[in-house]
Amino acid sequence: MDKTILLPDIGDFKDVEVVELLVKPGDAVKAGDSILVLESEKATMDLPCPEGGRVKQFLVKVGDKISKGAPLLVLELGVEAGAKPLAVPSAAPPPAPSKPVQPVSPAPSVPAPAEPPPPLSAAKKAHASPSVRRFARELGIDLSYVPGRGPHGRILKEDVQDYVKRYVAKAGTATGEAFAFPEVPLIDFSQFGEIAIQPLSKIQKVSGRNLHRSWVTAPHVTQHDEADITDLEEFRKEMIAKRSSDGVKITILSFFMKAVVAALKDHPKFNASLDSTGENLVLKRYFHIGVAVDTPNGLVVPVIRDVNHKGLVDLARELAAISEKARARRLTPHDLQGGCFSISSLGGIGGSFFTPIINVPEVAVLGVSKAVTKPVWKDGKFVPRLLVPLSLSYDHRVIDGADGVRFITRIKEVLQDVRTMLL
Ligand code: CAO
């Protein structure tokens, strides 16, 4: 026998909005099960079904405004709750919500939640207070997706918040929770001992954001090698002695800049950036090299322009001037823009090999560590040679491993015999 369920007297309310249907045609319900949610200006309420049976047809839909006595649904009486749902005739009005509501919709590329949507009938098991339902609705969350951790599986506000947090973490990755960025735990370090809080400098905050962006957007590969700079150092010292009256000391870094330009000319893909679509390379015909400078306030990367047109002495002069300007915090935006490739030299400090981080949108960076004299097998015997460790990081989206090796080999070739710079 069929019975039409009407909206009972729910107090002093008229034109109350139907905001959610909690069951669908074919579902079996028992007396007291919530069948829909109403929302007035003052409150949100679940409406219980007065009798048990199987839902045959809804006579209202989400968005309808209804008052006492309005027909809500047709119920087939005498069907036990828990009975298998019937196939819904195609003529029946579509169940609502017919599609899971996407919890957040920042961009079309955001992947769907990793777990498959639960069956809609789970919605009626989504026990939650009206205030939690309203909270979920404000966020656009379908509660049937949210696991409840309250008594008897009731969904709490914290469950909805946790769900959103997990979704947002997951949204950044197509591979699901296992590879989502794990949250950094909040730890009160003072529980372990004395602490002091030191705010980061403005430069540290800005460079930290840039480094993080580079690290997570560009898949880095770092290729290491050593270049024999024994002859280069001899030549440099000779030049310094000859030009002592200039007051300019030719630095090793000037040679590295020239060697990098020679390699960029031979391998134009390294003097490029991906365009905003990620589908094209923007090849640059100019040669502006960024140099990482360590300042008391943090790391900055001023740019030396047109390195291809400048000699070693000019480069050394410009390098000294720009690093002094950086340390005096007098760099202008122009000084920091337009770089094609960066060099990070820690050679004056020490260490051997490291992973420099690409200054995105550039596609590669050269790290230089401290040159050390080592025994090298040459012409049938070991000879002492000055070897400088080189670490080339490149963006693997743009550069293949073979190109990476060719590029570092060309740099090495130039450093080992500066005459090849002219080739
Ligand atoms: N191997 C051995 N010695 C080296 C060397 C190398 N690779 N590079 C430099 N040196 C020597 C120099 O010849 C100089 O020695 P002398 O005074 O006896 O001639 C001494 O080390 C100091 O050099 P420097 O580092 O002051 O000068 P530079 O021209 O080589 O570098 C600059 C200039 C601005 C790059 C450097 O001062 C600097 O700030 N380096 C740090 C960059 C940095 O922090 N990078 C890390 C980025 S990731 O966090």
Side-chain angles (χ1 to χ4, degrees):
M1 197 181 88
D2 292 350
K3 180 172 181 184
T4 300
I5 306 295
L6 306 177
L7 181 64
D9 186 357
I10 50 168
D12 193 17
F13 291 110
K14 269 179 73 182
D15 292 334
V16 190
E17 190 177 346
V18 178
V19 291
E20 199 176 345
L21 304 182
L22 299 177
V23 288
K24 69 178 193 305
D27 284 349
V29 293
K30 57 182 187 319
D33 276 356
S34 299
I35 48 173
L36 51 79
V37 183
L38 299 171
E39 192 173 68
S40 73
E41 278 168 17
K42 293 185 188 150
T44 306
M45 63 207 99
D46 287 12
L47 194 77
C49 200
E51 293 181 59
R54 189 191 308 276
V55 178
K56 280 191 89 173
Q57 189 186 354
F58 259 106
L59 303 170
V60 289
K61 57 183 185 319
V62 171
D64 284 355
K65 301 257 171 80
I66 54 175
S67 303
K68 182 185 165 192
L72 302 176
L73 56 80
V74 179
L75 197 67
E76 184 188 345
L77 299 178
V79 178
E80 289 289 310
K84 220 173 147 213
L86 284 183
V88 182
S90 57
S98 58
K99 273 197 274 175
V101 179
Q102 289 300 320
V104 277
S105 51
S109 59
V110 170
E115 63 269 20
L120 196 71
S121 58
K124 77 175 179 175
K125 292 184 195 125
H127 298 302
S129 69
S131 66
V132 170
R133 288 187 185 283
R134 185 169 20 207
F135 178 59
R137 234 182 349 272
E138 281 165 8
L139 296 173
I141 305 288
D142 180 344
L143 279 180
S144 62
Y145 286 76
V146 181
R149 285 173 302 183
H152 308 294
R154 202 165 180 79
I155 300 167
L156 309 173
K157 189 175 179 192
E158 297 78 62
D159 296 328
V160 179
Q161 288 166 330
D162 283 354
Y163 178 78
V164 173
K165 278 187 209 155
R166 274 189 287 121
Y167 184 87
V168 170
K170 229 179 267 180
T173 165
T175 45
E177 201 165 358
F179 296 103
F181 292 121
E183 267 179 59
V184 178
L186 278 177
I187 297 174
D188 174 11
F189 296 101
S190 66
Q191 66 185 302
F192 306 119
E194 198 186 335
I195 59 165
I197 305 293
Q198 184 181 54
L200 294 178
S201 71
K202 200 165 168 225
I203 292 177
Q204 282 174 315
K205 285 189 215 163
V206 173
S207 66
R209 270 199 298 274
N210 292 343
L211 290 165
H212 180 247
R213 184 189 55 194
S214 297
W215 189 248
V216 297
T217 57
H220 282 58
V221 177
T222 305
Q223 175 69 52
H224 302 288
D225 208 340
E226 283 177 314
D228 183 338
I229 56 166
T230 318
D231 299 339
L232 184 152
E233 263 303 83
E234 249 171 54
F235 173 65
R236 190 175 77 94
K237 282 184 182 144
E238 247 176 64
M239 288 301 109
I240 292 174
K242 276 192 187 156
R243 306 186 63 104
S244 55
S245 55
D246 289 358
V248 184
K249 191 171 102 182
I250 302 177
T251 55
I252 311 183
L253 204 47
S254 313
F255 288 89
F256 283 109
M257 292 168 86
K258 291 302 272 186
V260 162
V261 167
L264 289 176
K265 282 183 178 167
D266 287 358
H267 303 277
K269 252 205 274 182
F270 283 77
N271 192 7
S273 290
L274 278 169
D275 74 1
S276 57
T277 66
E279 294 186 4
N280 303 293
L281 269 186
V282 180
L283 298 168
K284 298 161 197 170
R285 307 278 191 235
Y286 49 87
F287 298 87
H288 304 340
I289 305 296
V291 176
V293 177
D294 179 32
T295 79
N297 294 299
L299 182 71
V300 285
V301 189
V303 174
I304 298 192
R305 284 163 206 272
D306 301 312
V307 173
N308 52 324
H309 296 316
K310 292 177 180 162
L312 293 166
V313 178
D314 287 340
L315 288 176
R317 192 178 283 125
E318 215 174 309
L319 193 60
I322 202 118
S323 24
E324 201 186 306
K325 204 171 167 188
R327 287 177 181 133
R329 304 175 71 179
R330 284 190 291 105
L331 290 176
T332 63
H334 179 261
D335 292 326
L336 296 161
Q337 286 167 357
C340 304
F341 181 102
S342 297
I343 300 178
S344 175
S345 172
L346 292 170
I349 305 167
S352 60
F353 303 113
F354 62 107
T355 305
I357 298 180
I358 302 164
N359 196 6
V360 170
E362 294 166 20
V363 294
V365 55
L366 181 71
V368 181
S369 303
K370 190 175 178 63
V372 178
T373 302
K374 290 184 182 176
V376 173
W377 189 252
K378 209 172 175 191
D379 303 328
K381 58 176 187 270
F382 280 110
V383 286
R385 305 293 293 177
L386 186 63
L387 302 183
V388 67
L390 304 176
S391 305
L392 174 78
S393 291
Y394 55 85
D395 184 339
H396 210 347
R397 293 173 301 176
V398 177
I399 292 155
D400 294 333
D403 289 335
V405 176
R406 287 186 195 107
F407 189 83
I408 203 168
T409 303
R410 176 69 176 126
I411 292 178
K412 204 173 136 169
E413 185 185 38
V414 175
L415 294 176
Q416 292 183 171
D417 185 350
V418 284
R419 291 170 305 177
T420 62
M421 218 185 280
L422 304 169
L423 294 176

